[in-house]
Amino acid sequence: NSAHNSNKKQKILFVSANIYWRRGYNFFNNKFENIDTINYPIIYELKDDFDILGIEPQYLNLSNRNNRTLKEKLKQSFTQWKAFDSYLSFSIILVSLKKYFKFLNKLRKHSQEIKNELLIYNSANLYSLFEAEVRSSIKNIFYCLLFIEIAKKIIKKEKPLCCFLTYETGPSERAMIHTCQKKGIPTIGLQHGASAYDTNPDYIRNYSYNPEQALLPDFMSVYGEATKEVFCEGGYPAERIKVMGNQEYDFYRVLSENKERIRAELMEKFSIPKDKKIVLFISTRPYEEITKADIHYHLDKMYGYFGGFQDYFLIIKLHHGERGVIDHKTILENKGMKGRYLI
């Protein structure tokens, strides 16, 4: 890849899945387009002093429904991206299998202890109820070993100065954290969305973290003090959390300097009548919680407040997880409302 520097600069890795490849401001060419919205602002600041390499943990699989997005990401020209499994080799598979069979042999020696002591509650043996889950977890051990071996190869080949991770609890990311910490390479987690007390347990847990077991990055960059408080109350070690702000909003400086030109371009691009005022509706709730009743409620309130949008142009910005969950367009058309949808 021509964007990948071949000089002797120190290398920094960015591990980020294609779910974060979405519309944002690209500092490299001063355009709004599909980019890695979490990492690109940081990459832009580091690009002149370091050799940057992105690692895509989702597999380059032709049957993957996100294959188009993944291909777009891997082919873009502003920095180089490689798929995590592009480092996979036959020798890595053999090593992982050897370790997995060694693990199974140890497991067999203690099989009765596992069945009789692993899942005991109030003197009742619950193993039979969870046997399927236990067997599934044992099978997944192979993939854990495989990911660790791939991570070892990445670190050995790329020799990074440090490693940024967008989704610090993913299996590939945990393998990278484990391997980097073994090699003394700093890891930095990046907050990638809203965090609240009811957020996914993968991020905020109700028990105290054991850093050795949880495989936490050495540092976690968060947007603000409120997020830090949520993490700390969930048991995340306070000394590892750094309040750095939200790098996705760095482009506001550029917008403020060119706001009139950018506004004119957007008005023309989205066919917004010049005599209309703009109402922007941004959905931020986790898509698992969204219902059509919620959307109807919000749109009904806005419809009444803004007088049926006779003098306004409505723009809806969907949360990235809502596609296919809520049909905003149908809801609006049933109300005789028209707008532009940014997804």
Side-chain angles (χ1 to χ4, degrees):
N1 187 307
S2 60
H4 187 51
N5 296 326
S6 59
N7 53 31
K8 298 297 183 180
K9 293 180 181 178
Q10 290 180 298
K11 186 174 295 183
I12 295 179
L13 299 184
F14 284 81
V15 183
S16 183
N18 70 48
I19 190 174
Y20 307 110
W21 187 260
R22 49 194 187 227
R23 200 160 190 83
Y25 187 81
N26 190 344
F27 283 93
F28 288 89
N29 59 11
N30 295 319
K31 291 182 179 180
F32 282 96
E33 58 186 10
N34 289 337
I35 61 168
D36 188 303
T37 54
I38 307 298
N39 289 294
Y40 264 37
I42 301 174
I43 291 174
Y44 184 78
E45 296 296 328
L46 298 176
K47 64 181 176 59
D48 294 333
D49 299 316
F50 298 95
D51 191 1
I52 305 297
L53 176 61
I55 301 295
E56 165 57 65
Q58 292 177 255
Y59 303 130
L60 189 55
N61 183 345
L62 292 178
S63 64
N64 190 324
R65 63 183 177 87
N66 291 321
N67 189 50
R68 180 192 60 78
T69 302
L70 186 54
K71 282 185 175 180
E72 179 182 327
K73 179 177 184 177
L74 294 176
K75 289 181 179 179
Q76 63 81 46
S77 60
F78 300 105
T79 192
Q80 185 188 28
W81 289 88
K82 291 184 179 180
F84 182 80
D85 64 338
S86 67
Y87 294 86
L88 182 63
S89 65
F90 185 66
S91 61
I92 284 180
I93 295 175
L94 288 180
V95 169
S96 302
L97 284 172
K98 183 177 180 181
K99 291 184 176 181
Y100 182 60
F101 288 132
K102 185 177 181 181
F103 162 76
L104 289 180
N105 286 333
K106 288 184 177 180
L107 203 61
R108 291 190 184 99
K109 293 179 181 179
H110 300 280
S111 60
Q112 291 303 315
E113 295 175 40
I114 293 173
K115 292 180 180 179
N116 296 330
E117 301 177 17
L118 180 63
L119 294 169
I120 303 295
Y121 180 75
N122 286 345
S123 300
N125 191 330
L126 305 179
Y127 178 81
S128 60
L129 297 176
F130 296 97
E131 184 174 2
E133 285 77 6
V134 172
R135 291 183 180 276
S136 177
S137 298
I138 291 173
K139 289 180 181 178
N140 287 334
I141 293 295
F142 169 72
Y143 294 102
C144 295
L145 294 170
L146 184 68
F147 289 173
I148 288 174
E149 293 303 317
I150 293 175
K152 286 180 180 178
K153 184 173 180 179
I154 292 174
I155 297 304
K156 182 178 180 180
K157 181 177 180 179
E158 307 300 346
K159 299 178 175 59
L161 174 68
C162 63
C163 180
F164 285 84
L165 306 113
T166 306
Y167 178 60
E168 75 285 355
T169 59
S172 305
E173 289 83 349
R174 281 176 168 162
M176 291 294 293
I177 292 173
H178 170 80
T179 305
C180 284
Q181 290 180 346
K182 290 288 186 180
K183 297 293 184 179
I185 298 171
T187 53
I188 304 99
L190 298 173
Q191 182 180 348
H192 51 273
S195 293
Y197 291 98
D198 61 350
T199 215
N200 191 310
D202 271 344
Y203 314 132
I204 309 298
R205 304 170 192 273
N206 294 320
Y207 57 84
S208 296
Y209 276 99
N210 181 329
E212 293 299 321
Q213 295 178 354
L215 287 175
L216 300 178
D218 296 302
F219 302 100
M220 185 68 187
S221 171
V222 300
Y223 298 160
E225 293 294 340
T227 305
K228 179 178 180 179
E229 181 181 343
V230 172
F231 272 71
C232 291
E233 290 193 10
Y236 211 103
E239 66 274 10
R240 295 193 179 206
I241 301 175
K242 306 297 179 182
V243 176
M244 302 297 290
N246 187 345
Q247 64 275 10
E248 290 189 68
Y249 297 148
D250 288 350
F251 71 87
Y252 281 149
R253 170 180 52 81
V254 180
L255 291 182
S256 64
E257 295 170 355
N258 302 275
K259 60 182 179 181
E260 294 302 326
R261 176 182 60 80
I262 293 173
R263 176 182 174 82
E265 291 176 355
L266 292 175
M267 295 284 283
E268 180 179 358
K269 179 176 181 179
F270 297 124
S271 302
I272 302 175
K274 293 182 179 180
D275 61 335
K276 298 284 188 181
K277 296 180 181 179
I278 298 173
V279 175
L280 175 62
F281 176 67
I282 302 177
S283 177
T284 59
R285 294 181 63 189
Y287 66 89
E288 293 92 347
E289 300 177 8
I290 291 173
T291 67
K292 290 186 178 181
D294 293 327
I295 300 299
H296 275 292
Y297 174 80
H298 290 298
L299 290 178
D300 278 338
K301 289 293 185 181
M302 288 194 299
Y303 189 79
Y305 185 83
F306 292 106
F309 291 95
Q310 296 300 316
D311 300 319
Y312 299 88
F313 187 90
L314 175 64
I315 297 178
I316 295 179
K317 173 65 173 73
L318 301 179
H319 185 277
H320 69 274
E322 290 179 32
R323 187 181 302 177
V325 179
I326 298 297
D327 187 355
H328 294 73
K329 185 176 181 180
T330 300
I331 294 174
L332 288 177
E333 288 177 349
N334 288 341
K335 294 181 176 295
M337 297 159 57
K338 294 181 180 179
R340 165 65 74 168
Y341 312 93
L342 307 181
I343 300 178

